[in-house]
Amino acid sequence: MIRVLSLLCLAAFTVDVDAWSPPVSPSNKHDGVVQTQTSRRGFFEKGFMTAAAAGAATILVSTTATEPALALPSIGAQAPAFVLANSRGDGSTSLSTLTGSGKWTVLYFYPGAFTTGCTLEAKSFQRDLDEYRKLNAQIVGVSVDPPEKNAQFCTSTGLDFFMLSDIGGSVSKLYGSALSIPGFGSFSNRQTYLIDPKGNIRWVFTDVESRIPRHSAEVLEKLTELRV
């Protein structure tokens, strides 16, 4: 299916991949993975696009050409290792560094800094940060944005946790959370992984896009359950 989008352009275009919320679908829980009928392709078919480039333009977006992400890691399996530049400006952060702290890690992937849904999601985690600390858990975000943009996002949003830059999307692919749109590049799909202090994946939330306002509360509930 080819969608034709006629856009009035002024400078350079920006695609807000999460400025919409799809209808809530019934969830199915299987092996620790929360899933819905909302497809990755549907996510972009209904996505809201804004653009600015000199003059008016017609953009053709092939939604059928979207490259699927790799399969999700299995619950109970070791989380895929990574080393990514962080938004704190002190270099890189690895999975072993996170798990070496002896804390649970809420590793959440998001499409892009400063977009509507991503800002709401980050603010919700920030709002509940003290509750996560009581559960010996840390929040870490991952997107394909560069470290400088993530740092600006953390500062402007008032976040007391940091982000990691998965430029190119290689880590997102390892976690089954990568989306590649021809002409627009790669993005991280909105998914959240609960990783225990031993580095094992204990839960995966895949239906986050339709549940952003209550997602943090659901993560806290699941963390409390898993730590018993």
Side-chain angles (χ1 to χ4, degrees):
M1 174 182 180
I2 302 293
R3 302 189 66 186
V4 180
L5 306 176
S6 295
L7 305 172
L8 181 61
C9 306
L10 300 174
F13 69 84
T14 300
V15 180
D16 187 346
V17 296
D18 66 350
W20 69 285
S21 293
V24 177
S25 302
S27 297
N28 296 317
K29 296 183 179 180
H30 179 68
D31 293 337
V33 180
V34 178
Q35 300 176 329
T36 67
Q37 298 172 356
T38 301
S39 69
R40 289 184 174 88
R41 188 178 66 184
F43 174 83
F44 280 95
E45 286 180 341
K46 297 180 182 179
F48 174 79
M49 299 183 179
T50 60
T58 298
I59 298 180
L60 302 180
V61 180
S62 173
T63 55
T64 56
T66 301
E67 296 178 12
L70 299 178
L72 291 171
S74 300
I75 299 301
Q78 193 76 15
F82 60 76
V83 179
L84 294 173
N86 63 54
S87 60
R88 297 181 299 191
D90 59 2
S92 300
T93 298
S94 65
L95 176 64
S96 59
T97 298
L98 296 175
T99 57
S101 67
K103 298 179 180 180
W104 285 70
T105 300
V106 177
L107 190 70
Y108 82 96
F109 290 77
Y110 63 97
F114 295 105
T115 54
T116 305
C118 297
T119 300
L120 177 59
E121 185 178 24
K123 286 184 175 180
S124 296
F125 281 130
Q126 176 65 33
R127 178 198 63 210
D128 298 333
L129 193 56
D130 286 341
E131 297 303 314
Y132 285 103
R133 289 169 174 165
K134 291 176 183 177
L135 294 174
N136 191 37
Q138 57 193 338
I139 307 292
V140 181
V142 181
S143 75
V144 299
D145 295 310
E148 298 79 11
K149 185 174 182 180
N150 276 333
Q152 294 170 357
F153 181 53
C154 290
T155 299
S156 66
T157 313
L159 305 179
D160 293 321
F161 55 88
F162 62 92
M163 307 299 190
L164 300 177
S165 295
D166 182 26
I167 298 175
S170 60
V171 174
S172 298
K173 291 178 182 177
L174 290 176
Y175 278 79
S177 184
L179 291 166
S180 181
I181 307 299
F184 297 115
S186 297
F187 303 91
S188 298
N189 195 24
R190 197 183 305 285
Q191 296 179 173
T192 300
Y193 302 76
L194 303 186
I195 303 173
D196 67 23
K198 295 182 179 179
N200 299 315
I201 293 179
R202 298 293 300 278
W203 198 263
V204 182
F205 293 88
T206 58
D207 176 29
V208 179
E209 192 63 39
S210 65
R211 311 166 74 89
I212 295 174
R214 60 186 182 275
H215 180 52
S216 180
E218 292 174 335
V219 173
L220 282 170
E221 181 180 357
K222 180 53 63 177
L223 264 175
T224 301
E225 177 186 321
L226 292 173
R227 292 182 73 254
V228 173

